[in-house]
Amino acid sequence: DAGVIQSPRHEVTEMGQEVTLRCKPISGHNSLFWYRQTMMRGLELLIYFNNNVPIDDSGMPEDRFSAKMPNASFSTLKIQPSEPRDSAVYFCASSSLRTGTGEQYFGPGTRLTVT
Amino acid sequence: QKEVEQNSGPLSVPEGAIASLNCTYSDRGSQSFFWYRQYSGKSPELIMFIYSNGDKEDGRFTAQLNKASQYVSLLIRDSQPSDSATYLCAILNTGTASKLTFGTGTRLQVTL
């Protein structure tokens, strides 16, 4: 079975540019999570969706960050404009509400470098 | 107080020994508990989850849960150099069906 798919795997961009990260959750999963990981701050939850509806976006650092989930198989995280402090690894994870146990499965991540 | 606390390590154990990783949490209502392994430069990988008090074994891994004392641990028997990684503890937040809170992880080094 295919796991969580993320693209691109690496992104290098200049400050001020728009960055869009993409995620395809595991088929049948109905919760989707966006995390950011840095050495300094560890793994931070940015936003999550249940059944395509945003439930908690309190971790989104500022208005430059936005996330959408137009359907059950696709989500985007957009940063506009990007800044050097946004450099991090961004993970997408998915889980199934039906199991009731909450285990999440992570994608390979997108390593973002903003120069 | 952090919601999920782990010793950052590194925890160094010789090959073949038992590695014991510990995690404490503050949310008494938490029902599910998870251990993830993360190799350097890779994504977190689910090892085990546990939701009942006591032990749960899977191969060389044993998760132990004590809800009264609010701790969960992971034992790795016959540690191998390939077990060297950061181990993240996570809890399912009370009142949510899916949100996890992660600890900062313990780095394990298995030496030859």
Side-chain angles (χ1 to χ4, degrees):
Chain A
D1 287 342
V4 176
I5 298 172
Q6 292 187 246
S7 65
R9 295 291 304 275
H10 301 272
E11 177 80 38
V12 180
T13 191
E14 293 184 346
M15 182 174 62
Q17 296 299 305
E18 177 179 297
V19 175
T20 299
L21 311 181
R22 297 173 176 81
C23 176
K24 177 179 171 56
I26 292 172
S27 177
H29 280 190
N30 48 8
S31 284
L32 184 140
F33 306 80
W34 283 102
Y35 292 90
R36 178 173 68 177
Q37 188 174 44
T38 61
M39 289 292 291
M40 291 295 293
R41 301 174 69 92
L43 191 65
E44 301 175 277
L45 176 65
L46 300 177
I47 185 171
Y48 78 98
F49 298 82
N50 284 347
N51 297 309
N52 312 339
V53 176
I55 302 300
D56 184 353
D57 65 355
S58 60
M60 295 286 259
E62 47 198 276
D63 291 346
R64 298 185 296 107
F65 286 69
S66 62
K68 294 182 180 179
M69 191 163 188
N71 57 62
S73 59
F74 183 66
S75 177
T76 59
L77 177 68
K78 186 176 294 187
I79 308 172
Q80 166 63 18
S82 58
E83 297 183 2
R85 59 189 167 133
D86 302 330
S87 297
V89 181
Y90 290 81
F91 292 109
C92 176
S94 71
S95 70
S96 171
L97 291 168
R98 285 177 281 275
T99 65
T101 46
E103 65 272 25
Q104 295 180 14
Y105 297 89
F106 283 75
T110 296
R111 182 173 296 276
L112 174 64
T113 302
V114 183
T115 60
Chain B
Q1 181 186 6
K2 294 181 181 178
E3 293 185 55
V4 179
E5 296 209 42
Q6 298 181 255
N7 189 317
S8 61
L11 173 66
S12 185
V13 299
E15 183 177 7
I18 297 175
S20 178
L21 304 161
N22 300 310
C23 171
T24 59
Y25 61 93
S26 58
D27 183 352
R28 281 197 167 273
S30 297
Q31 294 298 318
S32 295
F33 306 84
F34 306 85
W35 283 101
Y36 286 82
R37 177 176 62 198
Q38 186 173 24
Y39 292 114
S40 180
K42 301 296 185 182
S43 59
E45 172 192 11
L46 180 66
I47 300 175
M48 294 186 68
F49 66 91
I50 185 169
Y51 46 85
S52 298
N53 271 330
D55 295 359
K56 180 181 179 181
E57 186 175 318
D58 184 359
R60 295 188 297 113
F61 298 97
T62 299
Q64 299 176 318
L65 174 60
N66 184 323
K67 290 185 179 180
S69 300
Q70 296 176 249
Y71 82 77
V72 57
S73 60
L74 179 70
L75 301 180
I76 306 175
R77 289 182 300 281
D78 188 24
S79 295
Q80 301 297 310
S82 59
D83 295 326
S84 298
T86 296
Y87 289 80
L88 300 166
C89 171
I91 66 171
L92 180 64
N93 287 27
T94 303
T96 77
S98 56
K99 180 180 178 181
L100 301 185
T101 295
F102 284 84
T104 53
T106 297
R107 189 156 64 93
L108 173 66
Q109 293 178 338
V110 180
T111 58
L112 295 172

